[in-house]
Amino acid sequence: SAVISQKPSRDICQRGTSLTIQCQVDSQVTMMFWYRQQPGQSLTLIATANQGSEATYESGFVIDKFPISRPNLTFSTLTVSNMSPEDSSIYLCSVEGTGGGGYNEQFFGPGTRLTVL
Amino acid sequence: KNEVEQSPQNLTAQEGEFITINCSYSVGISALHWLQQHPGGGIVSLFMLSSGKKKHGRLIATINIQEKHSSLHITASHPRDSAVYICAVSRRGGGGGADGLTFGKGTHLIIQP
């Protein structure tokens, strides 16, 4: 299994500012995933963060708005830039563990609850 | 139409009842995941399935690949089972690399004492 921590756990930010969320894993992992959960909605994949290469963004998400760093195999950051109230969400990072039969279980961080005023 | 559909959206039951939550998907998958999310946002992986059936304590998950359908069952339900249960799929990709999950909208389960 993997133990994931995120910082901050929550924040209240002003419109137009940026917030960087940190994700730390207790073991080395190849792929890290960043998700957003808007109020009352399910999770949506923002991007996949690979160590040593550019993150891969899903449709509707762009690097200028959500820059991601992945400096090593245990750490990643997601920045929410030029925030607006629509960015108020829970942001979660996730990694794949090693399951049986070649398929991988997902482990999730505790989430960062962001409120933009 | 969402690629992962769950039903019901909301379910309230009495303690001890047998609970079934259903999930249908419309894409090719390599695995299906059942997740539990408690108030406060933390998500726990309950099951990862590629075929057949799995059981952990009072929880049972089944999948029918041909019908693209999975069910999560809770036996002898308890108020502490109250949470959002989410079905998610790992899409079957061609590149061999890992893909993120595609999620259903979740089922809000309340078990009353």
Side-chain angles (χ1 to χ4, degrees):
Chain A
S1 65
V3 177
I4 304 171
S5 60
Q6 284 186 235
K7 289 181 183 179
S9 58
R10 58 177 64 230
D11 207 342
I12 301 173
C13 300
Q14 295 297 320
R15 180 195 299 260
T17 63
S18 297
L19 176 72
T20 295
I21 302 167
Q22 300 179 7
C23 178
Q24 179 76 52
V25 188
D26 69 342
S27 56
Q28 294 185 338
V29 293
T30 305
M31 312 291 284
M32 294 178 77
F33 305 93
W34 285 100
Y35 293 93
R36 179 176 75 180
Q37 186 176 29
Q38 293 177 299
Q41 304 295 316
S42 192
L43 285 79
T44 302
L45 179 64
I46 298 171
T48 304
N50 311 314
Q51 194 270 333
S53 64
E54 291 280 335
T56 303
Y57 289 82
E58 296 298 300
S59 176
F61 297 96
V62 295
I63 188 171
D64 290 346
K65 175 68 176 177
F66 297 102
I68 287 171
S69 78
R70 183 79 201 275
N72 57 53
L73 292 173
T74 64
F75 187 79
S76 178
T77 68
L78 170 76
T79 299
V80 186
S81 302
N82 188 25
M83 288 184 284
S84 67
E86 291 72 34
D87 294 319
S88 298
S89 296
I90 299 174
Y91 292 85
L92 298 104
C93 71
S94 170
V95 304
E96 284 196 347
T98 302
Y103 301 109
N104 297 325
E105 185 177 357
Q106 296 267 332
F107 299 95
F108 289 85
T112 295
R113 187 179 293 270
L114 171 62
T115 302
V116 183
L117 303 178
Chain B
K1 186 178 187 298
N2 293 327
E3 293 173 335
V4 180
E5 296 274 3
Q6 278 185 245
S7 64
Q9 267 190 290
N10 298 285
L11 179 58
T12 300
Q14 294 298 120
E15 182 173 357
E17 287 189 38
F18 181 82
I19 304 298
T20 295
I21 300 170
N22 295 301
C23 175
S24 297
Y25 54 92
S26 57
V27 294
I29 69 169
S30 58
L32 182 142
H33 304 254
W34 281 102
L35 309 167
Q36 182 190 56
Q37 185 173 31
H38 280 281
I43 295 177
V44 174
S45 176
L46 298 175
F47 293 103
M48 181 186 61
L49 294 163
S50 56
S51 65
K53 177 179 175 178
K54 286 189 175 180
K55 184 176 188 292
H56 289 157
R58 294 181 295 105
L59 301 178
I60 303 166
T62 63
I63 188 169
N64 184 318
I65 297 294
Q66 287 72 32
E67 295 186 1
K68 295 188 174 180
H69 181 270
S70 175
S71 294
L72 175 70
H73 305 286
I74 305 174
T75 62
S77 59
H78 190 276
R80 64 175 175 265
D81 296 326
S82 299
V84 176
Y85 292 84
I86 303 171
C87 173
V89 299
S90 301
R91 297 171 70 123
R92 186 168 56 227
D99 296 313
L101 300 181
T102 301
F103 293 81
K105 291 189 175 182
T107 295
H108 293 248
L109 175 65
I110 297 173
I111 304 297
Q112 295 179 334

